[in-house]
Amino acid sequence: MADSTHFSPYRADGKLYGFVCVVTGATQPIGKAITRELAAHGAACIYACSRSPTEDYAALAEEVNKEFPNTQVIGYPLNIANEEDTLGLIDEILNATGRLDVWVCSSGLLGPPSIADTTPGDLQKCFEANSMPPFFALKYAPPAMAKLAIKKGSYSNAAPKDQKYGSIIVVSSVASTYGGTGIRINCISPGQIDVGIDLKGFDMRGMTAQLPPASLQSKEAQKDHIGLERAGLPTEVARVAGFLASGFSSYVTGANLVVDGGASTMCPLTVPI
């Protein structure tokens, strides 16, 4: 089978063989799950990005590589709100592998629960975490994804690329829009996700966490307000990201896929006022 067919973005089995991916917020629960999901789809290389160089990238890479030895996971400290750092990452990827195919923005902050509790510094941090990464991804990833690579890069599993193709996935953002030059842009909006955080160390103001732990919501409330009567799991968000990254969603762009167990579509007559 020719490389151009084997590594096609339109493979019937949805595999990402030969693809090079970026996941921001990769050390957060949803980011970890998405990294594993892309590896399960056969991605050649995943740049697992997060803000701090002290994040446990090694454990993430070891865990993923143990189960999916054909996927190279590269821990990459990235200031997601910095334009030069984002451009530097893209240049490094193109120089090393010759291609860029999937970009998942899964970094974010929950933020304080009310404007009364929000300081100007909090607002700036939330803006940098939630708005700047999708902006840079939407601005700079499509031209990189449109570049063709006739030869393989230095990483052997990164295949030649003879089609303009890419998939940008934003977790919980309104940045979803129609893409051009073969680049698909979609959004995932998670609902209540159980991220398994110990409440004793949980930041109630949301300035260090992306999502609230399910334990903040009672089982009774979940039964009343969530169609499936439970909180979701990071892997259930990751599976949607895997779908959007793969050829299974080749005709899906500009979509916002709500992953909330039916909470946003519950019948108002069954929800207490």
Side-chain angles (χ1 to χ4, degrees):
M1 182 179 292
D3 279 349
S4 60
T5 303
H6 184 68
F7 298 107
S8 168
Y10 306 108
R11 287 177 57 96
D13 59 8
K15 293 298 184 181
L16 303 178
Y17 295 138
F19 281 26
V20 177
C21 311
V22 170
V23 178
T24 66
T27 55
Q28 294 178 319
I30 288 179
K32 286 182 179 180
I34 290 174
T35 300
R36 290 178 55 84
E37 186 71 15
L38 295 179
H41 278 261
C45 186
I46 302 173
Y47 283 77
C49 304
S50 192
R51 279 179 174 271
S52 173
T54 62
E55 297 283 1
D56 195 0
Y57 296 107
L60 174 61
E62 182 179 355
E63 178 184 342
V64 175
N65 292 147
K66 183 177 180 180
E67 189 172 357
F68 308 103
N70 291 328
T71 299
Q72 182 186 37
V73 176
I74 300 174
Y76 196 98
L78 174 70
N79 184 347
I80 55 177
N82 185 278
E83 183 176 31
E84 291 184 0
D85 286 8
T86 303
L87 289 172
L89 169 61
I90 291 175
D91 285 343
E92 181 170 325
I93 291 172
L94 293 178
N95 290 333
T97 68
R99 63 183 294 166
L100 175 61
D101 304 285
V102 175
W103 192 295
V104 184
C105 290
S106 66
S107 54
L109 285 179
L110 177 63
S114 71
I115 192 168
D117 296 328
T118 305
T119 68
D122 294 338
L123 181 62
Q124 181 65 30
K125 289 179 181 178
C126 288
F127 182 79
E128 290 180 353
N130 299 323
S131 299
M132 297 307 292
F135 170 72
F136 290 140
L138 295 168
K139 182 177 177 66
Y140 294 120
M145 291 173 171
K147 290 183 178 295
L148 303 181
I150 306 304
K151 297 181 179 180
K152 292 185 179 182
S154 58
Y155 182 56
S156 59
N157 282 10
K161 185 175 184 177
D162 58 6
Q163 301 180 53
K164 293 181 178 180
Y165 170 82
S167 179
I168 299 174
I169 303 158
V170 179
V171 178
S172 190
S173 171
V174 296
S176 175
T177 185
Y178 282 96
T181 67
I183 310 303
R184 298 184 296 107
I185 302 170
N186 293 287
C187 174
I188 302 174
S189 294
Q192 182 73 28
I193 304 297
D194 187 353
V195 293
I197 296 176
D198 181 1
L199 284 181
K200 293 182 180 179
F202 179 67
D203 175 14
M204 300 296 290
R205 298 186 66 250
M207 297 310 299
T208 60
Q210 184 182 24
L211 297 163
S215 49
L216 283 179
Q217 187 169 322
S218 68
K219 295 296 183 182
E220 291 75 16
Q222 290 179 10
K223 185 175 181 180
D224 289 340
H225 298 288
I226 300 176
L228 296 183
E229 301 183 0
R230 65 173 178 83
L233 300 173
T235 54
E236 293 176 305
V237 179
R239 287 168 186 157
V240 179
F243 163 73
L244 291 174
S246 75
F248 285 142
S249 59
S250 59
Y251 203 56
V252 178
T253 191
N256 176 24
L257 299 189
V258 179
V259 186
D260 68 350
S264 58
T265 56
M266 285 283 285
C267 175
L269 296 178
T270 67
V271 178
I273 298 177

